[in-house]
Amino acid sequence: QVQLQESGPGLVKPSETLSLTCTVSGVSISNYYWSWIRQPPGKGLEWIGYIYYSESTNYNPSLKSRVTISVDTSKKQFSLKLSSVTAADTAVYYCARVEGPYKIFDYWGQGTLVTVSS
Amino acid sequence: EIVLTQSPGTLSLSPGERATLSCRASQSVSDNFFAWYQQKPGQAPRLLIYGASSRATGIPDRFSGSGSGTDFTLTISRLEPEDFAVYYCQQFGSSPGYTFGQGTKLEIK
């Protein structure tokens, strides 16, 4: 079955770059969009951006200047980099698959908490 | 940017009762690109409804979605204990892509 697993540091210092990787199994990474979504503790969901296997991307305008999403089809992974982080970037970060026609998030990773603190 | 406003913020009901959750968009959204998710504590959201009214795979038929344009509704016909959770609506559009509602917490009365 389709599985997604986030990995990366759980603690990042202010002003540094947050880096996470999502490893996909059970499905080809090709022909799908793949997305990052985050959720600050006790708050709602915020879409960060998505990437197509061909490497075209779309980012949330509120984060666009700091976000880079990339894909490595050979490793079946896609990655998130968020630069110049502050405490406001502390959140659970989820990776998710975007289902084609309806543009829905049909499979999610379990999420990983990233805390921004010195 | 399309803003989704969910109401009520918290809904207190008993098992067996009917739940009606609302999501209003600041401008018209495509029915095809409107969805509902359920999230339980410590878990990732789970897709319930897509295309405004289609149930996702494995979702019980007590869950139903309706609406179009700017007003959408998620109805749970008879609440089961496992239905108490937070529910989010979501839309996809050309800019900025995706937005979520702020969530409705469905709690046991």
Side-chain angles (χ1 to χ4, degrees):
Chain A
Q1 72 277 28
V2 179
Q3 291 187 315
L4 292 82
Q5 179 67 58
E6 304 90 351
S7 59
L11 181 64
V12 181
K13 289 183 169 56
S15 80
E16 295 190 344
T17 296
L18 177 160
S19 296
L20 295 174
T21 295
C22 182
T23 301
V24 178
S25 60
V27 68
S28 170
I29 203 167
S30 301
N31 299 320
Y32 287 100
Y33 288 83
W34 302 92
S35 191
W36 288 96
I37 298 150
R38 69 180 183 178
Q39 184 172 38
K43 296 188 177 181
L45 301 163
E46 180 180 33
W47 172 69
I48 299 171
Y50 64 65
I51 188 165
Y52 194 47
Y53 79 102
S54 63
E55 303 190 26
S56 65
T57 55
N58 188 18
Y59 301 135
N60 188 326
S62 69
L63 299 169
K64 187 173 183 177
S65 64
R66 300 193 292 130
V67 172
T68 302
I69 298 177
S70 58
V71 65
D72 186 334
T73 54
S74 65
K75 293 183 178 179
K76 297 188 71 174
Q77 294 177 334
F78 62 104
S79 299
L80 168 70
K81 291 189 185 298
L82 181 65
S83 64
S84 305
V85 297
T86 69
D89 295 309
T90 293
V92 174
Y93 285 77
Y94 295 101
C95 58
R97 188 181 81 167
V98 181
E99 185 277 342
Y102 294 95
K103 298 295 188 283
I104 49 177
F105 304 114
D106 60 346
Y107 289 95
W108 297 64
Q110 65 185 26
T112 187
L113 174 64
V114 179
T115 301
V116 178
S117 175
S118 56
Chain B
E1 174 183 338
I2 296 177
V3 176
L4 300 179
T5 302
Q6 293 186 239
S7 61
T10 301
L11 185 57
S12 300
L13 294 170
S14 300
E17 292 192 294
R18 179 185 186 90
T20 302
L21 288 67
S22 174
C23 181
R24 176 162 289 178
S26 59
Q27 54 187 283
S28 185
V29 305
S30 169
D31 298 357
N32 281 343
F33 299 146
F34 187 88
W36 290 94
Y37 297 82
Q38 175 194 67
Q39 187 179 34
K40 296 180 179 179
Q43 296 183 16
R46 177 176 71 147
L47 176 67
L48 295 177
I49 302 288
Y50 65 94
S53 60
S54 297
R55 276 187 301 277
T57 302
I59 301 303
D61 60 7
R62 64 180 181 273
F63 290 90
S64 64
S66 62
S68 65
T70 60
D71 288 289
F72 298 85
T73 301
L74 174 69
T75 302
I76 310 171
S77 59
R78 285 181 58 85
L79 286 166
E80 298 286 344
E82 63 267 28
D83 298 337
F84 292 91
V86 179
Y87 292 83
Y88 292 96
C89 56
Q90 169 249 300
Q91 70 85 33
F92 171 78
S94 58
S95 179
Y98 292 90
T99 52
F100 291 91
Q102 83 279 16
T104 289
K105 182 180 181 180
L106 178 56
E107 65 177 24
I108 299 177
K109 187 174 182 179

Coordinates of all heavy atoms in Angstrom, one line a residue, chain A residues 3-90:
Chain A
Q3 N 2.7 4.4 1.2 CA 3.1 4.9 2.5 C 4.1 6.0 2.3 O 4.9 6.1 1.3 CB 3.8 3.8 3.3 CG 2.9 2.7 3.8 CD 3.6 1.7 4.7 OE1 4.7 1.2 4.4 NE2 2.9 1.4 5.8
L4 N 4.0 7.0 3.1 CA 4.9 8.2 3.1 C 5.5 8.3 4.5 O 4.8 8.1 5.5 CB 4.1 9.5 2.8 CG 3.6 9.6 1.3 CD1 2.3 8.9 1.2 CD2 3.4 11.1 1.0
Q5 N 6.8 8.7 4.5 CA 7.5 8.8 5.8 C 8.4 10.0 5.8 O 9.3 10.1 5.0 CB 8.3 7.5 6.1 CG 9.1 7.6 7.4 CD 8.2 7.6 8.6 OE1 7.4 6.7 8.8 NE2 8.3 8.6 9.4
E6 N 8.1 10.9 6.7 CA 8.9 12.1 6.8 C 10.2 11.8 7.7 O 10.1 11.0 8.6 CB 8.2 13.3 7.5 CG 6.9 13.7 6.9 CD 5.7 12.9 7.4 OE1 5.9 11.9 8.2 OE2 4.5 13.3 7.1
S7 N 11.3 12.5 7.4 CA 12.5 12.4 8.2 C 13.2 13.7 8.2 O 13.2 14.5 7.2 CB 13.4 11.3 7.7 OG 13.7 11.5 6.3
G8 N 14.0 13.9 9.2 CA 14.8 15.2 9.3 C 14.9 15.6 10.8 O 14.3 15.0 11.7
P9 N 15.7 16.6 11.0 CA 16.0 17.1 12.4 C 14.7 17.6 13.0 O 13.8 18.2 12.4 CB 16.9 18.3 12.1 CG 17.5 18.0 10.8 CD 16.5 17.4 10.0
G10 N 14.6 17.3 14.3 CA 13.4 17.8 15.1 C 13.6 19.1 15.7 O 12.7 19.7 16.2
L11 N 14.9 19.6 15.7 CA 15.2 20.9 16.3 C 16.1 21.7 15.3 O 17.1 21.2 14.8 CB 15.9 20.7 17.6 CG 16.3 21.9 18.4 CD1 15.1 22.7 18.8 CD2 17.2 21.6 19.6
V12 N 15.6 22.9 15.1 CA 16.3 23.8 14.2 C 16.5 25.2 14.9 O 15.6 25.6 15.5 CB 15.6 24.0 12.8 CG1 16.4 24.9 11.9 CG2 15.4 22.7 12.1
K13 N 17.7 25.8 14.7 CA 17.9 27.1 15.3 C 17.3 28.2 14.5 O 17.2 28.1 13.3 CB 19.4 27.3 15.5 CG 20.1 26.4 16.5 CD 21.6 26.8 16.6 CE 22.2 26.1 17.8 NZ 22.0 24.6 17.9
P14 N 16.9 29.3 15.2 CA 16.4 30.4 14.5 C 17.4 30.9 13.4 O 18.6 30.9 13.7 CB 16.1 31.4 15.6 CG 15.9 30.6 16.8 CD 16.8 29.4 16.7
S15 N 16.8 31.4 12.3 CA 17.6 31.9 11.2 C 18.2 30.8 10.3 O 18.7 31.1 9.2 CB 18.7 32.9 11.6 OG 19.8 32.3 12.0
E16 N 18.2 29.6 10.7 CA 18.7 28.5 9.9 C 17.7 27.9 9.0 O 16.6 28.4 8.9 CB 19.3 27.4 10.8 CG 20.5 28.0 11.6 CD 21.3 26.9 12.4 OE1 20.7 25.7 12.5 OE2 22.4 27.1 12.8
T17 N 18.1 26.9 8.2 CA 17.2 26.3 7.2 C 16.7 24.9 7.7 O 17.5 24.1 8.1 CB 17.9 26.1 5.9 OG1 18.3 27.4 5.4 CG2 17.1 25.4 4.9
L18 N 15.4 24.8 7.7 CA 14.7 23.6 8.0 C 14.7 22.7 6.8 O 14.4 23.1 5.7 CB 13.3 23.9 8.4 CG 12.3 22.8 8.8 CD1 11.1 23.4 9.6 CD2 11.7 22.1 7.5
S19 N 15.2 21.4 7.0 CA 15.2 20.5 5.8 C 14.6 19.2 6.2 O 14.9 18.5 7.2 CB 16.7 20.2 5.5 OG 17.3 21.4 5.0
L20 N 13.6 18.8 5.4 CA 12.9 17.5 5.6 C 12.8 16.7 4.3 O 12.8 17.3 3.2 CB 11.5 17.8 6.1 CG 11.3 18.4 7.5 CD1 9.8 18.7 7.8 CD2 11.9 17.5 8.6
T21 N 12.7 15.4 4.5 CA 12.6 14.5 3.3 C 11.4 13.6 3.6 O 11.2 13.2 4.7 CB 13.9 13.7 3.1 OG1 15.0 14.5 2.8 CG2 13.7 12.6 2.0
C22 N 10.7 13.3 2.5 CA 9.6 12.4 2.5 C 9.9 11.2 1.6 O 10.2 11.4 0.4 CB 8.3 13.0 2.1 SG 6.9 12.0 2.1
T23 N 9.9 10.0 2.1 CA 10.2 8.8 1.4 C 8.9 8.1 1.0 O 8.1 7.8 1.9 CB 11.1 7.9 2.1 OG1 12.4 8.6 2.4 CG2 11.5 6.6 1.3
V24 N 8.7 7.8 -0.2 CA 7.5 7.2 -0.7 C 7.7 5.8 -1.0 O 8.7 5.4 -1.6 CB 7.0 8.0 -2.0 CG1 5.7 7.3 -2.6 CG2 6.8 9.4 -1.7
S25 N 6.7 4.9 -0.6 CA 6.8 3.5 -0.9 C 5.4 3.0 -1.3 O 4.4 3.7 -1.0 CB 7.3 2.7 0.2 OG 6.4 2.8 1.4
G26 N 5.4 2.0 -2.1 CA 4.1 1.4 -2.5 C 3.5 1.9 -3.8 O 2.4 1.5 -4.2
V27 N 4.1 3.0 -4.3 CA 3.6 3.6 -5.5 C 4.7 4.3 -6.2 O 5.7 4.7 -5.6 CB 2.5 4.6 -5.2 CG1 3.0 5.8 -4.4 CG2 1.7 5.0 -6.5
S28 N 4.6 4.4 -7.6 CA 5.6 5.2 -8.3 C 5.5 6.7 -8.0 O 4.4 7.2 -7.8 CB 5.4 5.0 -9.8 OG 6.3 5.9 -10.5
I29 N 6.6 7.3 -7.8 CA 6.6 8.8 -7.5 C 6.2 9.6 -8.8 O 5.8 10.7 -8.7 CB 7.9 9.3 -6.9 CG1 7.7 10.5 -6.1 CG2 9.0 9.4 -8.0 CD1 8.9 10.9 -5.2
S30 N 6.3 8.9 -9.9 CA 6.0 9.6 -11.2 C 4.5 9.7 -11.3 O 3.7 9.0 -10.8 CB 6.6 8.8 -12.4 OG 8.0 8.7 -12.2
N31 N 4.1 10.7 -12.1 CA 2.7 10.9 -12.5 C 1.8 11.4 -11.3 O 0.6 11.4 -11.4 CB 2.1 9.7 -13.1 CG 2.8 9.3 -14.4 OD1 3.2 10.1 -15.1 ND2 3.0 8.0 -14.5
Y32 N 2.4 11.8 -10.2 CA 1.7 12.4 -9.1 C 2.3 13.7 -8.7 O 3.5 14.0 -8.9 CB 1.6 11.5 -7.9 CG 0.8 10.3 -8.1 CD1 1.4 9.0 -8.4 CD2 -0.6 10.3 -7.9 CE1 0.6 7.9 -8.5 CE2 -1.4 9.2 -8.0 CZ -0.8 8.0 -8.4 OH -1.6 6.9 -8.5
Y33 N 1.5 14.6 -8.1 CA 2.0 15.7 -7.3 C 2.2 15.3 -5.9 O 1.4 14.5 -5.4 CB 0.9 16.9 -7.4 CG 0.8 17.5 -8.7 CD1 0.0 17.0 -9.7 CD2 1.5 18.7 -9.0 CE1 -0.1 17.6 -10.9 CE2 1.3 19.4 -10.2 CZ 0.5 18.8 -11.2 OH 0.4 19.4 -12.4
W34 N 3.2 15.9 -5.3 CA 3.5 15.6 -3.9 C 3.6 16.9 -3.1 O 4.2 17.9 -3.6 CB 4.8 14.8 -3.8 CG 4.8 13.5 -4.6 CD1 5.1 13.4 -5.9 CD2 4.2 12.3 -4.2 NE1 4.8 12.1 -6.3 CE2 4.3 11.4 -5.3 CE3 3.8 11.8 -3.0 CZ2 3.9 10.1 -5.2 CZ3 3.3 10.5 -2.9 CH2 3.4 9.6 -4.0
S35 N 3.1 16.9 -1.9 CA 2.9 18.2 -1.2 C 3.4 18.1 0.2 O 3.6 17.1 0.8 CB 1.4 18.5 -1.2 OG 1.2 19.8 -0.7
W36 N 3.7 19.3 0.7 CA 4.0 19.5 2.1 C 3.0 20.4 2.8 O 2.5 21.4 2.2 CB 5.4 20.2 2.3 CG 6.6 19.3 2.0 CD1 7.2 19.2 0.8 CD2 7.2 18.3 2.9 NE1 8.2 18.2 0.9 CE2 8.2 17.7 2.1 CE3 6.9 17.9 4.2 CZ2 9.0 16.7 2.7 CZ3 7.7 16.9 4.7 CH2 8.7 16.3 4.0
I37 N 2.6 20.0 4.0 CA 1.5 20.7 4.7 C 2.0 20.8 6.2 O 2.7 19.8 6.6 CB 0.2 20.0 4.7 CG1 -0.3 19.9 3.2 CG2 -0.9 20.6 5.6 CD1 -1.1 18.7 2.9
R38 N 1.8 21.9 6.9 CA 2.2 21.9 8.3 C 1.1 22.3 9.2 O 0.1 22.9 8.8 CB 3.4 22.9 8.4 CG 3.0 24.4 8.2 CD 4.3 25.2 8.4 NE 4.0 26.7 8.3 CZ 4.9 27.6 8.4 NH1 6.2 27.3 8.7 NH2 4.6 28.9 8.3
Q39 N 1.3 22.1 10.5 CA 0.3 22.4 11.5 C 1.0 22.8 12.8 O 1.5 21.9 13.5 CB -0.6 21.1 11.7 CG -1.7 21.3 12.7 CD -2.6 20.1 12.7 OE1 -2.2 19.0 12.7 NE2 -3.9 20.4 12.8
P40 N 1.0 24.1 13.1 CA 1.5 24.5 14.4 C 0.8 23.9 15.5 O -0.4 23.5 15.4 CB 1.3 26.0 14.4 CG 1.1 26.4 12.9 CD 0.5 25.2 12.3
P41 N 1.4 23.7 16.6 CA 0.8 23.0 17.8 C -0.5 23.6 18.2 O -0.6 24.8 18.4 CB 1.8 23.1 18.9 CG 3.1 23.3 18.2 CD 2.9 24.0 16.9
G42 N -1.6 22.8 18.2 CA -2.9 23.3 18.6 C -3.6 24.1 17.6 O -4.7 24.7 17.9
K43 N -3.1 24.2 16.4 CA -3.7 25.1 15.4 C -4.1 24.3 14.1 O -4.0 23.1 14.1 CB -2.7 26.2 15.0 CG -2.4 27.2 16.2 CD -1.6 28.4 15.7 CE -1.4 29.3 16.9 NZ -0.6 30.5 16.5
G44 N -4.5 25.0 13.1 CA -5.0 24.4 11.9 C -3.9 24.1 10.9 O -2.7 24.2 11.1
L45 N -4.4 23.6 9.7 CA -3.5 23.1 8.6 C -3.1 24.3 7.7 O -4.0 25.1 7.3 CB -4.2 22.0 7.9 CG -4.6 20.8 8.7 CD1 -5.6 20.0 7.9 CD2 -3.3 20.0 9.0
E46 N -1.9 24.3 7.3 CA -1.4 25.3 6.3 C -0.6 24.6 5.2 O 0.3 23.8 5.4 CB -0.5 26.3 6.9 CG 0.1 27.4 6.0 CD 1.0 28.4 6.6 OE1 1.7 28.0 7.5 OE2 1.0 29.5 6.2
W47 N -1.1 24.8 3.9 CA -0.4 24.2 2.8 C 0.9 25.0 2.5 O 0.9 26.2 2.5 CB -1.3 24.2 1.6 CG -0.7 23.8 0.3 CD1 -0.3 22.6 -0.1 CD2 -0.4 24.7 -0.8 NE1 0.3 22.6 -1.3 CE2 0.2 23.9 -1.8 CE3 -0.6 26.1 -1.0 CZ2 0.6 24.4 -3.0 CZ3 -0.2 26.6 -2.2 CH2 0.4 25.8 -3.2
I48 N 2.0 24.2 2.3 CA 3.2 24.9 2.0 C 3.5 24.9 0.5 O 4.0 25.9 0.0 CB 4.4 24.1 2.7 CG1 4.2 24.1 4.3 CG2 5.7 24.7 2.4 CD1 5.1 23.2 5.0
G49 N 3.3 23.8 -0.2 CA 3.6 23.8 -1.6 C 3.6 22.4 -2.1 O 3.4 21.4 -1.4
Y50 N 3.7 22.2 -3.5 CA 3.7 20.9 -4.0 C 4.7 20.9 -5.2 O 5.1 21.9 -5.7 CB 2.3 20.4 -4.5 CG 1.6 21.2 -5.6 CD1 2.1 21.2 -6.9 CD2 0.4 21.8 -5.3 CE1 1.4 21.9 -7.9 CE2 -0.3 22.5 -6.3 CZ 0.3 22.6 -7.6 OH -0.4 23.2 -8.6
I51 N 5.1 19.7 -5.6 CA 6.0 19.4 -6.7 C 5.4 18.3 -7.5 O 4.8 17.3 -7.0 CB 7.4 19.1 -6.2 CG1 8.4 19.1 -7.4 CG2 7.5 17.8 -5.4 CD1 9.8 19.2 -7.0
Y52 N 5.6 18.4 -8.8 CA 5.3 17.3 -9.7 C 6.6 16.5 -10.0 O 7.6 17.1 -9.9 CB 4.7 17.9 -11.0 CG 4.0 16.9 -11.9 CD1 3.1 15.9 -11.4 CD2 4.2 16.8 -13.3 CE1 2.5 15.0 -12.2 CE2 3.6 15.9 -14.1 CZ 2.7 15.0 -13.6 OH 2.1 14.1 -14.4
Y53 N 6.4 15.3 -10.4 CA 7.7 14.5 -10.6 C 8.6 15.1 -11.6 O 9.8 14.9 -11.6 CB 7.3 13.0 -10.9 CG 6.9 12.8 -12.3 CD1 7.8 12.3 -13.2 CD2 5.6 13.2 -12.8 CE1 7.4 12.1 -14.6 CE2 5.3 13.0 -14.1 CZ 6.2 12.4 -15.0 OH 5.8 12.2 -16.3
S54 N 8.0 15.9 -12.5 CA 8.8 16.6 -13.5 C 9.5 17.8 -13.0 O 10.1 18.5 -13.7 CB 7.9 17.0 -14.7 OG 6.9 17.9 -14.3
E55 N 9.2 18.1 -11.7 CA 9.9 19.1 -11.0 C 9.2 20.5 -11.1 O 9.8 21.5 -10.7 CB 11.4 19.2 -11.3 CG 12.1 18.0 -11.0 CD 13.7 18.1 -11.1 OE1 14.2 19.2 -10.9 OE2 14.3 17.0 -11.4
S56 N 8.1 20.6 -11.7 CA 7.3 21.8 -11.6 C 6.8 22.0 -10.2 O 6.4 21.0 -9.6 CB 6.2 21.9 -12.7 OG 5.2 20.9 -12.4
T57 N 6.7 23.2 -9.7 CA 6.4 23.5 -8.4 C 5.3 24.6 -8.2 O 5.1 25.4 -9.2 CB 7.6 23.9 -7.5 OG1 8.2 25.0 -8.1 CG2 8.6 22.8 -7.4
N58 N 4.7 24.6 -7.1 CA 3.7 25.7 -6.8 C 3.8 25.9 -5.2 O 3.7 24.9 -4.5 CB 2.3 25.3 -7.2 CG 1.3 26.5 -7.0 OD1 1.8 27.7 -6.9 ND2 0.0 26.2 -7.0
Y59 N 4.0 27.1 -4.8 CA 4.2 27.4 -3.4 C 3.1 28.3 -2.9 O 2.6 29.2 -3.6 CB 5.6 28.0 -3.1 CG 6.7 27.1 -3.6 CD1 7.8 27.7 -4.3 CD2 6.8 25.8 -3.3 CE1 8.9 27.0 -4.7 CE2 7.9 25.0 -3.7 CZ 8.9 25.6 -4.4 OH 10.0 24.9 -4.8
N60 N 2.8 28.2 -1.6 CA 2.0 29.2 -0.9 C 2.7 30.5 -0.9 O 3.8 30.7 -0.5 CB 1.8 28.7 0.6 CG 0.7 29.5 1.3 OD1 0.6 30.7 1.1 ND2 0.0 28.9 2.2
P61 N 2.0 31.5 -1.5 CA 2.6 32.9 -1.6 C 3.2 33.4 -0.3 O 4.1 34.1 -0.3 CB 1.5 33.7 -2.1 CG 0.6 32.8 -2.9 CD 0.6 31.5 -2.1
S62 N 2.5 33.0 0.8 CA 3.0 33.5 2.1 C 4.3 33.0 2.5 O 5.0 33.5 3.4 CB 1.9 33.2 3.2 OG 1.9 31.8 3.5
L63 N 4.7 31.9 1.9 CA 6.0 31.2 2.2 C 7.0 31.2 1.1 O 8.1 30.7 1.2 CB 5.8 29.8 2.7 CG 4.9 29.6 4.0 CD1 4.5 28.2 4.2 CD2 5.6 30.2 5.2
K64 N 6.5 31.6 -0.1 CA 7.2 31.4 -1.3 C 8.7 31.8 -1.3 O 9.6 31.1 -1.9 CB 6.5 32.1 -2.5 CG 7.0 31.7 -3.9 CD 6.1 32.3 -4.9 CE 6.6 32.0 -6.3 NZ 5.7 32.5 -7.4
S65 N 8.9 32.9 -0.7 CA 10.3 33.5 -0.7 C 11.3 32.6 0.1 O 12.5 32.8 0.0 CB 10.3 34.9 -0.1 OG 9.9 34.9 1.2
R66 N 10.8 31.7 1.0 CA 11.6 30.9 1.8 C 11.6 29.4 1.5 O 12.4 28.7 2.1 CB 11.2 31.1 3.3 CG 11.4 32.6 3.8 CD 11.3 32.7 5.3 NE 9.9 32.3 5.8 CZ 9.7 31.4 6.8 NH1 10.7 30.8 7.3 NH2 8.5 31.2 7.2
V67 N 10.7 29.0 0.6 CA 10.5 27.6 0.4 C 11.1 27.1 -0.9 O 11.1 27.7 -1.9 CB 9.0 27.3 0.4 CG1 8.7 25.8 0.0 CG2 8.4 27.5 1.7
T68 N 11.7 25.9 -0.8 CA 12.1 25.1 -2.0 C 11.7 23.7 -1.8 O 12.0 23.1 -0.7 CB 13.6 25.2 -2.2 OG1 14.1 26.5 -2.3 CG2 14.0 24.4 -3.4
I69 N 11.0 23.1 -2.7 CA 10.6 21.7 -2.7 C 11.3 21.1 -4.0 O 11.2 21.6 -5.1 CB 9.1 21.5 -2.8 CG1 8.4 22.1 -1.5 CG2 8.8 20.0 -2.9 CD1 6.9 22.0 -1.5
S70 N 11.9 19.9 -3.7 CA 12.6 19.2 -4.8 C 12.2 17.8 -4.7 O 11.7 17.3 -3.8 CB 14.1 19.4 -4.7 OG 14.6 18.9 -3.4
V71 N 12.5 17.1 -5.8 CA 12.2 15.6 -5.9 C 13.4 14.8 -6.5 O 14.2 15.4 -7.3 CB 11.0 15.4 -6.8 CG1 11.2 15.8 -8.3 CG2 10.5 14.0 -6.7
D72 N 13.6 13.6 -5.9 CA 14.6 12.7 -6.4 C 13.8 11.4 -6.8 O 13.6 10.6 -5.9 CB 15.6 12.5 -5.4 CG 16.8 11.6 -5.9 OD1 16.6 10.8 -6.8 OD2 17.9 11.7 -5.3
T73 N 13.5 11.3 -8.1 CA 12.7 10.1 -8.5 C 13.4 8.8 -8.3 O 12.8 7.8 -8.0 CB 12.2 10.3 -9.9 OG1 13.4 10.5 -10.7 CG2 11.3 11.4 -10.1
S74 N 14.8 8.8 -8.4 CA 15.5 7.6 -8.3 C 15.5 7.0 -6.8 O 15.5 5.8 -6.6 CB 17.0 7.8 -8.7 OG 17.6 8.7 -7.8
K75 N 15.4 7.9 -5.9 CA 15.3 7.5 -4.5 C 13.8 7.5 -4.0 O 13.6 7.1 -2.8 CB 16.1 8.5 -3.6 CG 17.6 8.5 -3.8 CD 18.3 9.4 -2.9 CE 19.8 9.4 -3.0 NZ 20.5 10.4 -2.1
K76 N 12.9 7.9 -4.8 CA 11.5 7.9 -4.4 C 11.3 8.9 -3.2 O 10.7 8.5 -2.2 CB 10.9 6.5 -4.2 CG 10.9 5.6 -5.4 CD 10.2 4.3 -5.2 CE 8.7 4.5 -5.1 NZ 7.9 3.3 -5.0
Q77 N 11.9 10.0 -3.3 CA 11.9 11.0 -2.2 C 11.6 12.4 -2.8 O 11.9 12.7 -3.9 CB 13.2 11.0 -1.5 CG 13.6 9.8 -0.7 CD 15.0 9.9 -0.1 OE1 15.8 10.6 -0.5 NE2 15.1 9.1 1.0
F78 N 10.9 13.2 -1.9 CA 10.9 14.6 -2.2 C 11.2 15.3 -0.9 O 11.0 14.8 0.2 CB 9.5 15.0 -2.8 CG 8.3 14.8 -2.0 CD1 7.7 15.8 -1.4 CD2 7.7 13.5 -1.9 CE1 6.5 15.6 -0.6 CE2 6.6 13.3 -1.1 CZ 6.0 14.4 -0.5
S79 N 11.6 16.6 -1.1 CA 12.2 17.2 0.1 C 11.7 18.7 0.2 O 11.3 19.3 -0.8 CB 13.7 17.3 -0.1 OG 14.3 16.0 -0.1
L80 N 11.8 19.2 1.4 CA 11.4 20.5 1.7 C 12.5 21.3 2.4 O 13.2 20.7 3.3 CB 10.2 20.5 2.7 CG 9.8 21.8 3.4 CD1 9.2 22.8 2.4 CD2 8.9 21.6 4.6
K81 N 12.8 22.5 1.9 CA 13.7 23.4 2.6 C 13.0 24.7 2.9 O 12.4 25.2 2.0 CB 15.0 23.6 1.7 CG 15.9 22.4 1.6 CD 17.2 22.8 0.9 CE 18.0 21.5 0.7 NZ 18.4 20.8 1.9
L82 N 13.1 25.1 4.1 CA 12.5 26.4 4.5 C 13.5 27.2 5.2 O 14.1 26.8 6.3 CB 11.3 26.1 5.5 CG 10.5 27.3 6.0 CD1 9.8 28.0 4.9 CD2 9.5 26.9 7.1
S83 N 13.9 28.3 4.6 CA 15.0 29.1 5.1 C 14.6 30.1 6.1 O 13.4 30.5 6.3 CB 15.7 29.8 3.9 OG 14.8 30.7 3.3
S84 N 15.6 30.7 6.8 CA 15.4 31.8 7.8 C 14.2 31.5 8.7 O 13.3 32.4 8.9 CB 15.1 33.1 7.0 OG 16.1 33.3 6.1
V85 N 14.2 30.4 9.4 CA 13.1 30.0 10.2 C 13.1 30.8 11.5 O 14.1 31.3 12.0 CB 13.1 28.5 10.6 CG1 13.0 27.7 9.3 CG2 14.4 28.1 11.3
T86 N 11.9 31.0 12.0 CA 11.6 31.6 13.3 C 10.8 30.6 14.1 O 10.3 29.6 13.7 CB 10.9 32.9 13.2 OG1 9.6 32.7 12.7 CG2 11.6 33.8 12.2
A87 N 10.5 31.1 15.4 CA 9.6 30.2 16.2 C 8.2 30.0 15.6 O 7.6 29.0 15.9 CB 9.4 30.9 17.6
A88 N 7.8 30.9 14.8 CA 6.5 30.7 14.1 C 6.5 29.6 13.1 O 5.4 29.1 12.7 CB 6.1 32.0 13.3
D89 N 7.6 29.0 12.8 CA 7.7 27.9 11.9 C 7.7 26.6 12.6 O 7.7 25.5 12.0 CB 9.0 28.0 11.0 CG 9.0 29.1 10.1 OD1 8.0 29.3 9.4 OD2 9.9 29.9 10.1
T90 N 7.6 26.6 14.0 CA 7.5 25.4 14.8 C 6.1 24.8 14.4 O 5.1 25.4 14.6 CB 7.6 25.7 16.3 OG1 8.9 26.2 16.6 CG2 7.2 24.5 17.1

